[in-house]
């Protein structure tokens, strides 16, 4: 059953019971008895009731009312409950690891109850008295099912390997769940990447994004076209309804204007895909960086000579063009306190260590000295066109060489001035660092770069405006930071330092960026 239909049925059932009064299972009365409200208890977070009434869904502070009726929760031994649904990759490995780390830090023990169909529960009990404090229920299937469960009020948090689709966003707003792309409605939990993989014995070591798209569209069918043996290419992908598979289509095929070939072997689990590719020298798969297994990841190259490998740093900076953020999405409703504490924990340094140990890429900003940035400045000189004068290259070198680059970068949605999903998360991440004083008494420079299409002077102006926009967004988000303690600056060098070939949309997208440099 699709998400819209399931949500409509749930909404209809709630409306029916509210109108008929057949299941008014709680009555809330103010302390002085002057106000009484009855309805269906939809949730209780330990502090607030969420009730479906004749007036719609209402949130009521429990400290100001008394509760009567069969649906009233136990206020003394309250057990917080939250339902997670979506990506099996996140549900099977990452989320349990984070919850266990959070529990150990906060003084809880964790027990697991396994169910069927990807369902399990993690039960958190207090170490001092053994009482149950929280129940985290999981349905680990795929991203589509996660959003469908949210729309049907069968989930509180979605685990997603892709951004919310337009239809899902519209449906959520119509159901009163808020704008899932708004502030505090989504979060990038960790980073991954879409990577092409082959068997270790395969002689092909590099492929361009456009060639990869042409292979998976069926235009290229023989390894000989890629510099390999005269043999057919066997294609492998995750199942079509997985968020990773949808991210692959979005990032690999859609920019090339191509559609996926029907001649593809699908795999339910990532480890099965990796095993199948690793043992077949003629196989080519696309999977996630964290799930590459015993395969070999191909380098992404281009006709201009640039090559990019998927690595922790290149994924974190988004220099690698096929980065795949891992999202949590929340409706516009209050979650239990312990759940909010857990979500706050996932942003901290301890959680970032857990994320790295689980095989994913964390979001802790790192400083990269110039000497560890490879041939970026040499490439800038080699690729400089007649519109990039020597004076501009000298100015860029003099400005940036004494500084270090942060792994926190910012990119914009294609054809838009709106930051992409990972960059919106980076705004919050960098803002928190400013609030914590991590860059007090230091210089922080937002540096804009562009692709090489168009006039160089215009490109520099566009890059400068984007850098200014990012600086304003970070400053506005750093509400409690004392910005007078930080030397905030903005500059731009336009097309002077490309990191990818400009002959493809992937390359141009990678080159349009705002970097952060510190001193």
């Amino acid at each position: 059953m699709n998400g819209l239909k399931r949500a409509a049925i749930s909404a209809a059932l709630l409306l029916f019971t509210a109108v008929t009064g057949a299941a008014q299972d709680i009555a809330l009365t103010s302390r002085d008895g002057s106000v009484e409200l009855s309805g269906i208890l939809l949730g209780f977070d330990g502090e607030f009731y969420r009730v479906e009434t004749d007036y719609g869904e209402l949130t009521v502070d429990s400290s100001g009312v008394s509760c009567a009726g069969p649906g009233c929760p136990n206020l003394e031994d309250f057990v917080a409950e939250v339902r997670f649904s979506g990506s099996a990759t996140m549900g099977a490995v990452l989320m349990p690891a984070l919850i266990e780390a959070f529990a150990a830090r906060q003084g809880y023990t964790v027990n697991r109850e396994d169910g069927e169909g990807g369902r399990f529960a993690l039960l958190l009990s207090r170490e001092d008295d053994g009482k149950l404090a929280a129940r985290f229920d999981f349905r680990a299937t795929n991203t589509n099912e996660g959003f469908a469960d949210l729309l049907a009020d069968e989930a509180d948090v979605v685990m997603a390997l892709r951004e919310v689709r337009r239809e899902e966003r519209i449906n959520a707003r119509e159901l009163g769940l808020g704008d899932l792309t708004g502030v505090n409605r989504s979060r990038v939990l960790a980073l991954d990447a879409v990577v092409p993989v082959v068997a270790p014995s395969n002689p092909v070591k590099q492929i361009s994004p456009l060639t990869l798209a042409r292979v998976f569209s069926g235009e290229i069918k023989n390894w000989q076209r890629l510099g390999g043996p005269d043999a057919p290419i066997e294609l492998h992908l995750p199942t079509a309804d997985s968020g990773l598979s949808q991210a692959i289509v979005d990032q690999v095929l859609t920019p090339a204007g191509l559609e996926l070939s029907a001649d593809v072997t699908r795999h339910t689990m990532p480890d099965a895909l990796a095993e199948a590719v690793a043992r077949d020298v003629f196989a080519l798969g696309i999977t996630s960086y964290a799930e590459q297994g015993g395969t070999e990841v191909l380098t992404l190259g281009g006709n201009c000579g640039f090559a990019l490998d998927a690595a922790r740093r290149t994924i974190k900076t988004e220099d690698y063009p096929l980065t795949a953020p891992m999202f949590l999405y929340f409706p516009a409703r209050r979650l239990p306190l312990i759940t909010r504490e857990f979500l706050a924990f996932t942003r901290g340094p301890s959680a970032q260590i857990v994320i790295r140990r689980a095989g994913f890429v964390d979001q802790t900003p790192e400083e990269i000295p110039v000497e560890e940035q490879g041939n970026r400045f040499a490439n800038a000189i080699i690729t400089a066109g007649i519109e990039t004068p020597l004076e501009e290259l000298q100015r860029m070198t003099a400005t940036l060489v004494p500084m270090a680059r942060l792994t926190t970068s910012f990119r914009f949605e294609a054809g838009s001035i709106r930051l992409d999903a990972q960059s919106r998360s980076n705004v919050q991440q960098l803002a928190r660092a400013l609030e914590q004083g991590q860059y007090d008494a230091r210089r922080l420079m937002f540096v804009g770069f562009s692709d090489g299409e168009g006039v160089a002077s215009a490109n520099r102006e566009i890059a400068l405006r984007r850098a200014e926009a990012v600086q304003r967004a970070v400053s506005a988000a750093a509400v409690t930071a004392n910005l007078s303690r930080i030397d905030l600056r903005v500059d731009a060098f336009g097309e002077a330092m490309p990191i990818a070939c400009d002959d493809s949309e992937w390359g141009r997208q990678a080159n349009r960026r705002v970097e952060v440099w510190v001193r």
Side-chain angles (χ1 to χ4, degrees):
M1 184 182 297
N2 64 39
L4 181 58
K5 184 180 293 184
R6 291 164 65 181
I9 292 173
S10 293
L13 288 173
L14 287 174
L15 180 61
F16 175 78
T17 54
V19 170
T20 61
Q24 305 287 334
D25 62 352
I26 69 168
L28 303 177
T29 306
S30 61
R31 297 301 183 190
D32 61 5
S34 62
V35 179
E36 182 174 314
L37 185 71
S38 60
I40 307 294
L41 181 65
L42 300 178
F44 178 67
D45 64 5
E47 299 172 276
F48 288 81
Y49 297 100
R50 186 164 60 90
V51 186
E52 181 68 31
T53 73
D54 292 336
Y55 310 103
E57 184 177 315
L58 300 177
T59 300
V60 182
D61 188 343
S62 64
S63 65
V65 297
S66 59
C67 183
C72 291
N74 184 334
L75 300 183
E76 293 184 3
D77 294 320
F78 169 70
V79 177
E81 296 184 3
V82 63
R83 301 162 298 173
F84 295 84
S85 181
S87 162
T89 299
M90 297 173 67
V93 178
L94 184 55
M95 294 299 291
L98 286 169
I99 288 173
E100 288 179 5
F102 166 76
R105 184 185 182 94
Q106 298 295 113
Y108 298 107
T109 59
V110 181
N111 291 304
R112 179 174 175 130
E113 291 182 355
D114 287 309
E116 298 180 353
R119 295 181 184 274
F120 65 92
L122 298 177
L123 281 65
L124 276 63
S125 301
R126 300 180 186 87
E127 288 182 346
D128 54 358
D129 59 13
K131 289 185 176 181
L132 186 63
R135 178 185 178 95
F136 291 175
D137 285 294
F138 284 85
R139 182 170 180 253
T141 52
N142 58 65
T143 299
N144 281 2
E145 285 295 305
F147 281 113
D149 284 346
L150 180 69
L151 295 173
D153 199 25
E154 295 173 8
D156 302 302
V157 182
V158 178
M159 304 174 292
L161 295 184
R162 60 163 172 81
E163 289 192 66
V164 61
R165 300 288 196 217
R166 182 175 181 273
E167 181 183 3
E168 294 163 340
R169 178 184 178 187
I170 292 172
N171 291 340
R173 184 181 294 168
E174 291 177 347
L175 290 169
L177 301 180
D179 183 355
L180 293 181
T181 65
V183 177
N184 298 325
R185 297 279 71 80
S186 67
R187 177 185 303 176
V188 175
L189 180 67
L191 304 175
D192 205 342
V194 170
V195 293
V197 294
V198 296
S201 56
N202 192 305
V204 175
K205 304 301 178 185
Q206 181 171 304
I207 193 170
S208 73
L210 179 57
T211 301
L212 183 65
R214 294 176 64 194
V215 170
F216 275 85
S217 72
E219 287 187 13
I220 297 176
K221 299 184 178 182
N222 195 293
W223 279 107
Q224 204 167 35
R225 297 277 300 276
L226 308 182
D230 182 11
I233 303 174
E234 302 294 333
L235 303 178
H236 295 261
L237 285 177
T239 53
D241 55 2
S242 71
L244 178 61
S245 185
Q246 292 159 3
I248 289 168
V249 171
D250 291 346
Q251 297 194 45
V252 177
L253 289 154
T254 300
L258 298 172
E259 294 186 0
L260 183 64
S261 168
D263 190 18
V264 176
T265 300
R266 298 283 191 172
H267 300 270
T268 303
M269 299 303 294
D271 56 349
L273 187 155
E275 290 174 7
V277 172
R279 64 172 179 260
D280 183 358
V281 70
F282 301 128
L284 174 62
I286 303 181
T287 188
S288 77
Y289 172 77
E291 307 277 8
Q292 60 187 270
T295 64
E296 182 165 322
V297 177
L298 296 182
T299 297
L300 289 184
N303 295 330
C304 67
F306 285 101
L308 290 167
D309 288 307
R312 195 170 66 87
R313 273 188 177 175
T314 60
I315 294 171
K316 186 180 287 192
T317 59
E318 286 191 274
D319 288 353
Y320 183 78
L322 303 180
T323 301
M326 310 178 80
F327 298 93
L328 294 179
Y329 281 93
F330 324 95
R333 66 170 63 131
R334 189 179 179 91
L335 294 172
L337 176 60
I338 191 172
T339 308
R340 302 198 302 273
E341 291 173 341
F342 165 68
L343 294 174
F345 166 80
T346 63
R347 293 185 181 275
S350 299
Q352 303 309 307
I353 295 172
V354 174
I355 289 168
R356 287 199 297 272
R357 288 176 176 171
F360 301 99
V361 178
D362 65 282
Q363 297 183 85
T364 303
E366 299 175 32
E367 297 182 19
I368 314 174
V370 168
E371 60 268 21
E372 295 180 18
Q373 295 183 34
N375 299 320
R376 299 182 82 209
F377 287 87
N379 288 337
I381 296 171
I382 293 170
T383 60
I386 59 174
E387 291 190 284
T388 305
L390 175 62
E391 292 79 7
E392 185 70 353
L393 293 174
Q394 290 173 330
R395 187 177 77 86
M396 180 177 69
T397 302
T399 302
L400 300 182
V401 165
M403 306 181 79
R405 181 192 177 190
L406 281 188
T407 51
T408 305
S409 299
F410 300 89
R411 285 181 169 78
F412 295 79
E413 294 177 351
S416 171
I417 61 171
R418 176 181 167 87
L419 289 169
D420 66 19
Q422 182 174 333
S423 296
R424 294 195 297 272
S425 181
N426 287 348
V427 166
Q428 302 301 321
Q429 194 86 7
L430 185 55
R432 282 194 303 276
L434 297 185
E435 290 177 331
Q436 294 164 5
Q438 293 182 22
Y439 299 103
D440 283 0
R442 301 188 70 183
R443 176 178 299 171
L444 203 65
M445 181 177 288
F446 296 84
V447 184
F449 295 94
S450 71
D451 59 38
E453 288 200 331
V455 180
S457 59
N459 286 338
R460 183 185 178 279
E461 285 301 315
I462 293 172
L464 182 62
R465 288 200 299 271
R466 285 176 169 167
E468 290 170 341
V470 172
Q471 189 268 333
R472 286 194 300 270
V474 172
S475 297
V479 178
T480 64
N482 186 347
L483 298 182
S484 65
R485 297 177 180 174
I486 310 166
D487 182 8
L488 290 175
R489 300 193 181 189
V490 175
D491 208 335
F493 299 103
E495 59 192 60
M497 191 187 286
I499 59 174
C501 299
D502 257 340
D503 61 355
S504 71
E505 179 54 37
W506 296 273
R508 292 189 291 273
Q509 179 72 7
N511 289 333
R512 297 189 294 264
R513 67 200 186 277
V514 174
E515 298 179 354
V516 184
W517 290 69
V518 296
R519 184 178 182 180

